[in-house]
Amino acid sequence: MLWRRNLFAPLAALALALTASAGAGTAAAATDTTVVAAASPVASPAASAADDFGSPGPYATAVEVGAITTLYYPRDIADSDRRHPVIVWGNGTGGVPLVYRDLMLHWASQGFVVAAANTPMSNLGISMRASIDMLTGRNADRGSIFFDRVDLEHIGASGHSQGGAAAIVVGSDPRIDTVLPIQPGPLANINAVRVPALLLAGQRDSIVFPALVKAFYNAADHIPALYGEVRGADHFTVVGDPGPFAAPTTAWFRAQLMGDRTAGAQFFGPGCGICTDTATWSDVRRNSLALNVPAATP
């Protein structure tokens, strides 16, 4: 399969570059099993306007690297006055969470707990499910900073390439409320998914061709499903700086997991924001079930 080309070399090189750049200005403390690092200063409230989902959110962020999962989360989660929804993430072939660090931190700044599976071979979704199990335990542990601060009733699954296929695989888990596969590889069965889906393709992707993502969309006639093809994007546009992927993915998860009505209007109802944004999208499609979802109700 084309999507299974060896991607390890370019992703590994990028990971090394990001490791070097991430070292400056980052406080880290190592234990036997984890490294906890602070990251990302508090964003200005003006920078996180309700309809500007590509801007940093109001939360300072932190990173915890474990053996199986890397967590990106609001730094002061222990003192938060709310529970924070979860996004589980799967990497592309040969990839690690570090190469998607900017997107993970962006979601965390918006108030999500992001549990990124460390495995470079994520297709089966085993580590992503294990991430939910781990957070369930941490949420119940009175000694954990996550105690009673994780919203386990609202969990989304996402990933890139092979990890995008994993997001579809994990979408059959009853704990998952929505899936957002980014340029997903073909080894998944969307017929087993029972939750809303936003399927993203890259117009110039020569590894996971847009037609492969459209095939998932066409098969998803039993759930509200949307297809979005990012104009000019290749297979690696989301790696590093996520660029045009940051705003729509954030809006989708805010709509599906936080009940954000402004975010929901980007996808649903007659005023569908992404449907008229031809600068960002080369193709947008909504199936009949998605067309019947009102903008005010994700």
Side-chain angles (χ1 to χ4, degrees), residues 28-37 64-67 138:
T31 69
D32 289 341
T33 59
T34 64
V35 175
V36 179
E64 178 183 313
V65 182
R138 299 283 290 275

Side-chain angles (χ1 to χ4, degrees), residues 118-173:
N118 291 338
T119 177
M121 301 297 288
S122 58
N123 208 138
L124 295 178
I126 296 170
S127 295
M128 294 168 71
R129 288 189 173 97
S131 297
I132 302 175
D133 296 337
M134 179 269 292
L135 281 174
T136 300
R138 299 283 290 275
N139 186 62
D141 179 2
R142 290 184 176 275
S144 167
I145 63 169
F146 296 99
F147 173 65
D148 200 30
R149 295 299 88 195
V150 183
D151 184 358
L152 296 167
E153 297 301 315
H154 295 92
I155 303 176
S158 187
H160 174 235
S161 195
Q162 182 179 155
I168 296 172
V169 171
V170 173
S172 64
D173 190 307

Side-chain angles (χ1 to χ4, degrees), residues 43-58 106 109-110 243 246-248 250-251 254 260 262-263 266:
S44 163
S48 55
D51 58 350
D52 187 6
F53 303 106
S55 294
H106 181 74
S109 80
Q110 292 280 339
T250 300
R254 286 190 64 90
D260 186 325
T262 301
Q266 292 294 307

Side-chain angles (χ1 to χ4, degrees), residues 165-284:
I168 296 172
V169 171
V170 173
S172 64
D173 190 307
R175 297 173 294 182
I176 298 295
D177 297 289
T178 187
V179 298
L180 197 167
I182 301 173
Q183 297 160 302
L187 299 183
N189 178 14
I190 203 164
N191 292 318
V193 175
R194 292 292 181 268
V195 294
L198 173 61
L199 296 141
L200 298 184
Q203 183 187 22
R204 297 180 180 173
D205 192 338
S206 60
I207 295 174
V208 175
F209 297 111
L212 293 174
V213 186
K214 287 177 186 172
F216 279 126
Y217 167 77
N218 291 333
D221 56 1
H222 59 295
I223 56 174
L226 291 81
Y227 169 82
E229 186 177 290
V230 179
R231 185 176 297 281
D234 63 26
H235 196 64
F236 297 101
T237 298
V238 73
V239 174
D241 179 353
F245 288 91
T249 57
T250 300
W252 179 262
F253 282 129
R254 286 190 64 90
Q256 295 295 318
L257 304 180
M258 293 180 174
D260 186 325
R261 295 186 177 189
T262 301
Q266 292 294 307
F267 309 98
F268 302 110
C272 168
I274 68 169
C275 299
T276 56
D277 181 7
T278 56
T280 302
W281 306 97
S282 51
D283 191 0
V284 172

